[in-house]
Coordinates of all heavy atoms in Angstrom, one line a residue:
T1839 N 52.9 245.3 -75.5 CA 53.0 244.9 -74.1 C 53.1 243.3 -74.1 O 52.4 242.7 -74.9 CB 51.7 245.2 -73.3 OG1 51.6 246.6 -73.3 CG2 51.8 244.7 -71.9
C1840 N 54.0 242.7 -73.4 CA 54.3 241.3 -73.3 C 53.0 240.6 -72.8 O 52.4 241.0 -71.8 CB 55.4 241.0 -72.4 SG 55.7 239.2 -72.2
A1841 N 52.5 239.6 -73.5 CA 51.3 239.0 -73.1 C 51.4 238.2 -71.8 O 50.3 237.9 -71.3 CB 50.9 238.0 -74.3
V1842 N 52.5 237.9 -71.4 CA 52.7 237.2 -70.1 C 53.1 238.1 -68.9 O 52.3 238.3 -68.0 CB 53.9 236.1 -70.2 CG1 54.2 235.6 -68.8 CG2 53.4 235.0 -71.1
C1843 N 54.2 238.9 -69.1 CA 54.6 239.7 -67.9 C 54.1 241.1 -68.0 O 54.3 241.9 -67.0 CB 56.1 239.6 -67.8 SG 57.0 240.6 -69.1
Q1844 N 53.5 241.5 -69.0 CA 52.8 242.8 -69.2 C 53.8 244.0 -69.2 O 53.5 245.2 -69.1 CB 51.8 243.1 -68.0 CG 50.8 242.0 -67.9 CD 49.9 241.8 -69.2 OE1 49.4 242.8 -69.8 NE2 49.9 240.6 -69.6
V1845 N 55.1 243.7 -69.4 CA 56.1 244.7 -69.5 C 55.9 245.4 -70.9 O 55.6 244.8 -71.9 CB 57.6 244.1 -69.4 CG1 57.9 243.2 -70.6 CG2 58.6 245.3 -69.3
E1846 N 56.1 246.7 -70.9 CA 56.0 247.5 -72.1 C 57.3 247.4 -73.0 O 58.3 247.3 -72.5 CB 55.7 249.0 -71.8 CG 54.4 249.3 -71.1 CD 54.1 250.7 -71.0 OE1 54.9 251.6 -71.5 OE2 53.1 251.1 -70.4
M1847 N 57.0 247.2 -74.3 CA 58.1 247.0 -75.2 C 58.1 248.1 -76.3 O 57.0 248.6 -76.6 CB 58.0 245.6 -75.9 CG 58.0 244.4 -74.9 SD 57.7 242.8 -75.7 CE 56.0 243.0 -76.3
K1848 N 59.2 248.4 -76.9 CA 59.2 249.3 -78.0 C 58.7 248.6 -79.2 O 58.8 247.4 -79.4 CB 60.6 249.8 -78.2 CG 61.2 250.6 -77.1 CD 62.6 251.1 -77.3 CE 63.2 251.9 -76.1 NZ 64.6 252.3 -76.3
P1849 N 58.2 249.4 -80.2 CA 57.8 248.7 -81.5 C 58.9 247.9 -82.1 O 60.0 248.4 -82.2 CB 57.4 250.0 -82.3 CG 57.0 251.0 -81.4 CD 57.9 250.8 -80.2
G1850 N 58.6 246.7 -82.5 CA 59.6 245.8 -83.1 C 60.3 244.9 -82.1 O 61.0 244.0 -82.5
E1851 N 60.2 245.2 -80.8 CA 60.9 244.4 -79.8 C 60.2 243.1 -79.5 O 60.9 242.1 -79.2 CB 61.1 245.2 -78.5 CG 62.1 246.2 -78.5 CD 62.4 246.9 -77.1 OE1 61.5 246.7 -76.2 OE2 63.4 247.5 -76.9
G1852 N 58.9 243.1 -79.6 CA 58.2 241.9 -79.2 C 58.4 240.8 -80.2 O 58.6 240.9 -81.4
I1853 N 58.3 239.5 -79.7 CA 58.5 238.3 -80.4 C 57.1 237.6 -80.4 O 56.6 237.3 -79.4 CB 59.6 237.4 -79.9 CG1 60.9 238.2 -79.8 CG2 59.7 236.1 -80.7 CD1 61.9 237.5 -78.9
S1854 N 56.6 237.3 -81.6 CA 55.3 236.6 -81.7 C 55.4 235.3 -80.9 O 56.3 234.5 -81.0 CB 54.9 236.4 -83.1 OG 53.7 235.5 -83.2
V1855 N 54.3 235.0 -80.2 CA 54.2 233.7 -79.5 C 54.1 232.6 -80.5 O 54.4 231.4 -80.1 CB 53.0 233.8 -78.5 CG1 51.6 233.6 -79.3 CG2 53.1 232.7 -77.4
H1856 N 53.8 232.8 -81.7 CA 53.8 231.8 -82.8 C 55.1 231.5 -83.4 O 55.2 230.6 -84.2 CB 52.7 232.2 -83.8 CG 51.4 232.5 -83.3 ND1 50.6 231.5 -82.8 CD2 50.7 233.6 -83.1 CE1 49.4 232.1 -82.4 NE2 49.5 233.4 -82.5
A1857 N 56.1 232.4 -83.1 CA 57.4 232.2 -83.8 C 58.0 230.9 -83.4 O 58.2 230.6 -82.2 CB 58.3 233.4 -83.4
G1858 N 58.3 230.0 -84.3 CA 58.9 228.8 -84.1 C 58.0 227.8 -83.4 O 58.4 226.8 -82.8
S1859 N 56.7 228.1 -83.5 CA 55.8 227.2 -82.8 C 55.8 225.8 -83.5 O 55.9 225.6 -84.6 CB 54.4 227.8 -83.0 OG 53.4 226.8 -82.5
S1860 N 55.7 224.8 -82.6 CA 55.7 223.4 -83.1 C 54.3 223.0 -83.6 O 54.0 221.9 -84.1 CB 56.1 222.4 -81.9 OG 55.3 222.6 -80.8
S1861 N 53.3 223.9 -83.3 CA 51.9 223.7 -83.8 C 51.7 224.3 -85.1 O 51.6 225.5 -85.3 CB 50.9 224.2 -82.8 OG 49.6 224.1 -83.2
G1862 N 51.7 223.5 -86.2 CA 51.6 224.0 -87.5 C 50.4 224.9 -87.8 O 50.4 225.9 -88.5
R1863 N 49.2 224.5 -87.2 CA 48.0 225.3 -87.5 C 48.0 226.6 -87.0 O 47.3 227.5 -87.3 CB 46.8 224.5 -87.0 CG 46.7 224.4 -85.5 CD 45.5 223.6 -85.0 NE 45.4 223.4 -83.6 CZ 44.9 224.4 -82.9 NH1 44.3 225.5 -83.3 NH2 44.8 224.2 -81.5
N1864 N 48.9 226.9 -86.0 CA 48.9 228.2 -85.4 C 50.2 229.0 -85.6 O 50.6 229.9 -85.0 CB 48.8 228.1 -83.8 CG 47.3 227.9 -83.4 OD1 46.5 228.3 -84.1 ND2 47.2 227.2 -82.3
S1865 N 51.0 228.5 -86.7 CA 52.3 229.1 -87.0 C 52.1 230.4 -87.7 O 52.0 230.4 -89.0 CB 53.1 228.1 -87.8 OG 54.4 228.6 -88.0
R1866 N 52.1 231.5 -87.0 CA 51.9 232.8 -87.6 C 52.9 233.8 -87.0 O 52.5 234.6 -86.1 CB 50.5 233.3 -87.4 CG 49.4 232.4 -87.9 CD 48.0 233.1 -88.0 NE 47.7 233.7 -86.7 CZ 46.9 233.1 -85.7 NH1 46.6 231.9 -85.9 NH2 46.7 233.7 -84.6
P1867 N 54.2 233.6 -87.4 CA 55.2 234.4 -86.6 C 55.0 235.9 -86.8 O 55.7 236.7 -86.1 CB 56.5 233.9 -87.3 CG 56.1 233.3 -88.6 CD 54.7 232.8 -88.4
W1868 N 54.2 236.4 -87.8 CA 54.0 237.8 -87.9 C 52.8 238.3 -87.1 O 52.6 239.5 -87.1 CB 53.7 238.1 -89.4 CG 52.5 237.3 -89.9 CD1 51.2 237.7 -89.9 CD2 52.5 236.0 -90.5 NE1 50.4 236.7 -90.3 CE2 51.2 235.7 -90.8 CE3 53.5 235.1 -90.8 CZ2 50.8 234.5 -91.3 CZ3 53.1 233.9 -91.4 CH2 51.8 233.6 -91.7
D1869 N 52.1 237.4 -86.4 CA 50.9 237.8 -85.8 C 51.1 237.7 -84.3 O 52.0 237.0 -83.7 CB 49.8 236.8 -86.2 CG 48.4 237.4 -85.9 OD1 48.3 238.5 -85.3 OD2 47.5 236.7 -86.2

Side-chain angles (χ1 to χ4, degrees):
T1839 301
C1840 175
V1842 169
C1843 71
Q1844 306 302 307
V1845 66
E1846 292 187 7
M1847 302 177 291
K1848 295 179 181 178
E1851 280 186 347
I1853 304 167
S1854 171
V1855 75
H1856 304 289
S1859 172
S1860 57
S1861 174
R1863 66 182 180 84
N1864 281 332
S1865 184
R1866 303 193 307 268
W1868 58 87
D1869 200 358

